[in-house]
Amino acid sequence: MNAYQACFSKLDRAALIPFFVIGDPSYDVSAELVKAAIDAGADILELGIPFSDPVADGPTIQKADLRALKAGMTPARAIEFIREITAYKPIPIGLLVYYNLLVQYGVNRFFEDFKQAGGTSVLVADLSIDDADEIIPSARRVGLETVFMATPNTPDGRLRFISEKTTGFIYAVSLLGTTGERAALSQTVRPFLSRLKRLTDKPICVGFGISSPEHAFEVAQAGADGVIIGSRIVKFIEENPENPARIKENITRFIRDVLDKLPPQSPKSRPSS
Amino acid sequence: MKHKGRFGPFGGYYVPEVLIPALEEIESAFEQFRNDRRFLQELNTLFTDYAGRPTPLYHARRFSEVTGFPVYLKREDLLHGGAHKINNALGQGLLARYMGKSKLIAETGAGQHGLATAIVGALLGMETKIFMGFTDVARQNVNVRKMRLLGAEVIAVEGGTGTLKDAINEAFRYWTAHVEDTFYLFGTAGGPHPYPTIVRHFQSPIGQEARRQCLEKTGRLPDIVTACVGGGSNAIGIFSAFLDDPQVRLVGVEGGGKGLQTTQHCATLCRGRVGILHGARTYLLQDENGQIRDTECISAGLDYPGVGPEHAHLKETGRAEYVSVEDEEVLDTFFLFSKTEGILPALESTHALAWLCQQKGILPPETIVIANLSGRGDKDIDIVEHHRPLASRSL
Ligand SMILES: Cc1ncc(COP(=O)(O)O)c(C=O)c1O
């Protein structure tokens, strides 16, 4: 059983997965905020290494990437960061990274270092399933899980292919678009989730645009195994650049609100295919 | 996707999953229509009657006296819109219409590709949005005004240094949210497959004409074909016809900016390292961690930290060579060339001319050179006068 299966099988609700850009707004504050999210009850973490050209991201995460880069975040320091977090408390960590950063570090070496720091899975934002074999052997060798994105416009055949290559969870993108807060949950989520559930028995976590406890509730209600909340969390940092204590308070409260809202579900015991 | 879109180890389509269906759709439409009789007829008529193809191959006699060897100019500057960009914009625009798309988006640096797309959008009656970095909006303002007059919406992109890279990022983001009805009309021979192949295809008349015209005028093939390289579309357009003529030297000229010893240049093939950006594995200007570097160049159209993957392959295999010239040399050549030939060259194209000036006394006098004059310089007069105010110029 991998770390995700262990997590999903002990929960009687959908997993709450906050996203942070590592080192936003600085190494120390970022570490404090991530630890606060764990203390508030986050089940899994999705962490991103900042990149100069994040094409899959909307304005909120773009700005977070810039803040983190300005404060000196690098892939090597991101590994240290992850080590510090998993030492604080063991928690499954999924990494989101743009491919060029991996390629420059060296895929094999990066995966070894990330695994060693306690990481669980990798998702490469700009590497599609067609080229997944550029990283899968390296991931399997060190025992990292692979996570891939599926989008509402992905055809059935491709979704099956994505499912086959996934050992962690399927990252279901709720809409056609980049990351970013949205006022309303996308209409495509429900039909997309039911299509996905017909095609795969892998855990499915939904992300992009989930901005409130109500959105999280709806997604969980529709059968998601996990809810990924990115821009809304990151926005708390943008809103109070000079006040880490306030950011921490806001994030803690938000996570508790979401947890209160998540409906009960029977625990998943997923086949470990 | 039917093909991988590789040029040796370069190219591919490294994009988020959400864009794959759109790229697949374009790939299959391109395969379907590239040899379709009706499509070809329509495109050829647009090329000849609307854009002004074939363009002349002109023996620049007075400039040749300066260099000491004969230079022939492929006059893409005479095309409608003032640059080679219209070839690709007409080709992809027509493809978009055959695919039933109603909206076009494009990125632009110098504004020439944005202008070409705005022209095609008006011509084909398609709603058009152009993404352009804020720095370029300021320095290529004439083109911004032209695009708006043609009915296109110009979106000033705030990220990064406000140049071509940032415009491409934002165009991709917009496309992600509008893939269903919008065609991304990519402007250079880079980006994810199938763009490098499509752009080369629609730019290849430059080389086919130039090769035939050179044989007609001189009775033989040129010794050297040279072109400036930003993303690489005008260069691949003219190089492509000579790839199987090993005796023809192919020379791509990149923006040397303030010098390759500084970081203020955009000489990607001369100074870059292989990585992945905007969907392709290719040479990139980047720091040791893989963060993409800011570039700087007097010519907005070359100011880009990546390059089309086929050029990366041509460099690696040695079939083409890539050099650079600095801003100051480009300005010198701009004035010299304008006065000797009566043609204002685009600052982009002037890079190739400046390299030829450097070859004076190096290349033997019987060397026949074709330089791709990819565009005209009207858009650049503000920049040129800013760098070299009239009052400070003797002569
Ligand atoms: C006249 C002209 N030449 C060349 C370029 C560079 O592009 P490419 O390398 O794709 O030909 C541009 C780009 O804007 C241009 O306007």
Side-chain angles (χ1 to χ4, degrees):
Chain A
M1 210 196 276
N2 69 43
Y4 290 133
Q5 288 161 339
C7 174
F8 293 124
S9 66
K10 74 174 200 297
L11 285 177
D12 53 4
R13 53 165 172 77
L16 172 53
I17 312 174
F19 169 86
F20 291 87
V21 173
I22 299 174
D24 166 33
S26 66
Y27 184 102
D28 290 341
V29 174
S30 182
E32 228 186 289
L33 298 176
V34 171
K35 289 173 189 171
I38 297 174
D39 293 342
D43 302 298
I44 295 169
L45 296 171
E46 186 76 15
L47 299 179
I49 302 184
F51 182 48
S52 54
D53 294 84
V55 288
D57 288 297
T60 302
I61 291 175
Q62 286 172 47
K63 281 183 231 160
D65 279 10
L66 275 183
R67 284 192 297 268
L69 287 174
K70 272 218 179 92
M73 186 44 61
T74 63
R77 294 206 76 206
I79 300 270
E80 277 174 47
F81 184 98
I82 288 157
R83 185 171 293 120
E84 180 176 336
I85 298 302
T86 53
Y88 177 73
K89 191 184 167 204
I91 183 168
I93 294 184
L95 191 74
L96 195 134
V97 65
Y98 285 88
Y99 198 22
N100 195 46
L101 299 181
L102 280 189
V103 169
Q104 300 311 318
Y105 195 105
V107 174
N108 276 324
R109 193 163 70 87
F110 185 89
F111 283 4
E112 280 163 19
D113 292 354
F114 174 60
K115 175 70 186 182
Q116 227 244 324
T120 309
S121 71
V122 280
L123 164 53
V124 183
D126 50 353
L127 183 74
S128 87
I129 203 74
D130 297 350
D131 293 309
D133 288 342
E134 292 185 20
I135 62 159
I136 286 180
S138 309
R140 302 277 184 272
R141 202 169 49 81
V142 299
L144 282 177
E145 310 307 325
T146 44
V147 169
F148 293 97
M149 285 194 186
T151 51
N153 60 344
T154 311
D156 285 0
R158 232 179 131 78
L159 287 180
R160 281 195 201 94
F161 189 33
I162 287 172
S163 172
E164 274 167 32
K165 302 269 179 184
T166 295
T167 60
F169 55 82
I170 293 177
Y171 191 130
V173 175
S174 74
L175 43 73
L176 299 182
T178 51
T179 58
E181 317 85 88
R182 307 287 200 284
L185 196 65
S186 156
Q187 295 291 313
T188 54
V189 175
R190 270 179 187 276
F192 180 40
L193 259 177
S194 40
R195 187 160 68 95
L196 258 176
K197 284 168 119 18
R198 262 201 338 271
L199 297 168
T200 180
D201 57 1
K202 299 279 163 71
I204 301 167
C205 298
V206 178
F208 281 44
I210 298 177
S211 312
S212 69
E214 291 70 31
H215 294 174
F217 172 84
E218 278 183 64
V219 167
Q221 189 81 344
D225 300 301
V227 182
I228 303 164
I229 306 185
S231 295
R232 180 54 265 186
I233 297 269
V234 170
K235 193 82 177 182
F236 287 120
I237 302 173
E238 185 184 323
E239 285 164 352
N240 281 292
E242 306 299 335
N243 195 343
R246 171 72 54 77
I247 304 171
K248 203 163 136 178
E249 240 174 75
N250 289 345
I251 288 176
T252 300
R253 182 170 343 104
F254 182 79
I255 288 179
R256 294 209 174 117
D257 288 349
V258 176
L259 287 172
D260 284 346
K261 196 85 191 178
L262 287 177
Q265 274 175 6
S266 51
K268 317 272 162 318
S269 44
R270 296 276 168 189
S272 51
S273 54
Chain B
M1 213 83 97
K2 239 169 105 188
H3 303 284
K4 282 278 181 195
R6 299 279 180 181
F7 303 90
F10 303 104
Y13 49 97
Y14 297 96
V15 295
E17 180 65 33
V18 60
L19 292 178
I20 301 279
L23 294 173
E24 264 174 354
E25 193 189 354
I26 295 174
E27 183 196 53
S28 88
F30 177 64
E31 301 253 304
Q32 182 186 348
F33 293 119
R34 62 184 293 178
N35 296 317
D36 177 81
R37 260 212 18 240
R38 197 163 65 89
F39 180 87
L40 279 177
Q41 236 166 30
E42 209 170 332
L43 183 61
N44 278 332
T45 305
L46 288 171
F47 273 177
T48 54
D49 299 359
Y50 186 74
R53 301 219 70 88
T55 58
L57 186 73
Y58 162 68
H59 181 196
R61 286 197 173 71
R62 294 195 65 211
F63 184 64
S64 301
E65 281 168 25
V66 175
T67 57
F69 48 82
V71 176
Y72 289 79
L73 301 173
K74 184 59 176 161
R75 296 292 309 273
E76 296 296 295
D77 61 312
L78 292 176
L79 288 169
H80 180 43
H84 70 290
K85 298 286 183 187
I86 193 75
N87 304 324
N88 172 52
L90 282 170
Q92 283 191 49
L94 200 60
L95 186 63
R97 215 189 53 193
Y98 272 64
M99 288 167 72
K101 301 286 172 182
S102 59
K103 295 174 184 165
L104 298 176
I105 58 167
E107 83 295 345
T108 197
Q112 289 301 112
H113 175 60
L115 178 59
T117 305
I119 288 170
V120 169
L123 178 73
L124 301 179
M126 296 168 91
E127 193 184 308
T128 305
K129 277 192 173 59
I130 307 296
F131 295 85
M132 188 170 188
F134 66 92
T135 305
D136 292 337
V137 167
R139 66 174 159 174
Q140 302 274 275
N141 200 255
V142 175
N143 274 339
V144 174
R145 283 149 62 199
K146 287 185 190 169
M147 288 185 258
R148 289 186 172 143
L149 286 172
L150 290 161
E153 183 186 351
V154 180
I155 296 161
V157 176
E158 286 302 327
T161 48
T163 57
L164 184 56
K165 162 177 89 91
D166 311 299
I168 294 178
N169 287 340
E170 205 52 34
F172 271 121
R173 290 184 187 118
Y174 180 90
W175 199 30
T176 301
H178 301 85
V179 276
E180 314 230 284
D181 63 351
T182 300
F183 184 98
Y184 184 2
L185 207 165
F186 202 76
T188 191
H193 173 69
Y195 286 112
T197 300
I198 292 182
V199 174
R200 178 190 58 199
H201 178 75
F202 290 128
Q203 293 293 3
S204 63
I206 308 175
Q208 289 159 9
E209 289 170 16
R211 191 176 185 282
R212 192 186 65 235
Q213 289 163 322
C214 185
L215 287 170
E216 281 164 16
K217 280 185 201 299
T218 70
R220 67 177 182 90
L221 288 174
D223 300 295
I224 295 179
V225 174
T226 184
C228 66
V229 179
S233 70
N234 88 92
I236 206 68
I238 197 161
F239 288 179
S240 56
F242 298 95
L243 290 177
D244 296 331
D245 303 315
Q247 70 275 33
V248 180
R249 250 179 97 188
L250 305 174
V251 182
V253 186
E254 298 189 305
K258 301 232 163 39
L260 298 198
Q261 73 283 1
T262 72
T263 55
Q264 293 156 289
H265 62 77
C266 52
T268 309
L269 287 162
C270 293
R271 277 290 180 276
R273 238 175 39 243
V274 176
I276 285 149
L277 180 70
H278 294 152
R281 185 186 295 271
T282 186
Y283 279 80
L284 301 175
L285 292 169
Q286 54 183 322
D287 74 9
E288 69 279 11
N289 295 315
Q291 308 293 353
I292 307 306
R293 274 211 351 236
D294 292 337
T295 54
E296 226 177 280
C297 178
I298 192 165
S299 147
L302 305 186
D303 208 351
Y304 178 61
V307 66
E310 190 167 6
H311 288 293
H313 185 53
L314 292 176
K315 173 192 159 86
E316 206 96 323
T317 57
R319 179 61 193 93
E321 55 198 287
Y322 296 88
V323 298
S324 72
V325 295
E326 298 181 12
D327 288 352
E328 290 302 317
E329 303 167 88
V330 170
L331 283 167
D332 290 343
T333 305
F334 178 89
F335 290 112
L336 174 113
F337 183 82
S338 298
K339 285 182 184 163
T340 50
E341 289 298 340
I343 298 170
L344 296 177
L347 284 175
E348 290 79 15
S349 326
T350 309
H351 282 70
L353 304 173
W355 179 74
L356 289 176
C357 288
Q358 288 181 355
Q359 303 314 302
K360 177 183 176 154
I362 297 176
L363 293 175
E366 64 278 9
T367 312
I368 294 179
V369 175
I370 298 178
N372 196 14
L373 192 59
S374 56
R376 67 180 188 216
D378 310 43
K379 68 185 176 60
D380 295 318
I381 50 185
D382 284 347
I383 300 174
V384 166
E385 291 186 345
H386 171 79
H387 281 85
R388 300 263 176 99
L390 257 181
S392 75
R393 293 202 301 270
S394 50
L395 263 139

